Amino acid sequence: MSFQAYLDNIETKTGLTPRQFVDLATERGFGAETTATPILEWLKADYDLSRGYGMALVHVITKGPQISQKHVGSAGTHADPSDTLWLDGKSTNPDYA
């Protein structure tokens, strides 16, 4: 599953876009200096997100939408179309239009 697919599935499950999660995390005091554990605990307790899905959000919350070029444009199951994740909702993502 691609990085973007994880974020899209989180939106399907919770009804919240990745950007909304970033905003909620900021309100809780989570940011670049926060370790994964408290973010994962919050996501599990409040949204029942597993570690795998939670780690996708941990990346976005602590590092922003930029990802490694490693899988961009590759043909594998983890391929992403861009090195920048779309945080504003899957229905508005131009890569899926």
Side-chain angles (χ1 to χ4, degrees):
M1 183 181 310
S2 73
F3 206 133
Q4 187 67 55
Y6 269 101
L7 296 179
D8 292 347
N9 285 336
I10 291 166
E11 182 182 350
T12 298
K13 179 178 173 116
T14 66
L16 298 171
T17 67
R19 183 152 334 269
Q20 289 172 304
F21 273 106
V22 170
D23 292 343
L24 290 168
T26 300
E27 289 173 14
R28 290 178 159 267
F30 299 148
E33 302 302 318
T34 309
T35 62
T37 300
I39 298 171
L40 291 171
E41 289 171 349
W42 162 58
L43 294 171
K44 179 65 175 169
D46 289 9
Y47 302 99
D48 197 31
L49 292 179
S50 68
R51 180 174 177 78
Y53 287 101
M55 287 305 292
L57 284 173
V58 165
H59 176 90
V60 171
I61 291 165
T62 62
K63 295 177 177 51
Q66 199 75 29
I67 60 171
S68 167
Q69 285 281 330
K70 182 177 179 180
H71 297 293
V72 174
S74 70
T77 57
H78 297 293
D80 277 290
S82 170
D83 68 351
T84 304
L85 299 167
W86 188 257
L87 303 183
D88 294 316
K90 59 186 176 181
S91 67
T92 65
N93 189 335
D95 286 334
Y96 299 130

